[in-house]
Amino acid sequence: MYTRGYGDTRPLAPNADEAGRRQNRRVEILMVDEVPASPDTAKAARK
């Protein structure tokens, strides 16, 4: 398992209101065999 934090750089919704901020407070867990070299590699692993 590895972790990578993106903070406010990759929001799912606009942070303009409470509903959007609520959507952006999240933890995503991705199970992989190896640590991806980049975030784009992690996206490819999800498919």
Side-chain angles (χ1 to χ4, degrees):
M1 184 185 306
Y2 72 97
T3 61
R4 191 173 285 167
Y6 294 110
D8 59 354
T9 61
R10 293 188 180 183
L12 291 178
N15 284 310
D17 59 13
E18 180 56 32
R21 289 188 295 274
R22 189 172 25 254
Q23 284 183 298
N24 291 328
R25 287 190 294 265
R26 68 192 188 281
V27 174
E28 295 180 13
I29 299 172
L30 175 63
M31 301 295 288
V32 296
D33 292 331
E34 298 178 15
V35 174
S38 72
D40 295 328
T41 306
K43 283 183 183 178
R46 291 183 197 146
K47 293 181 180 180

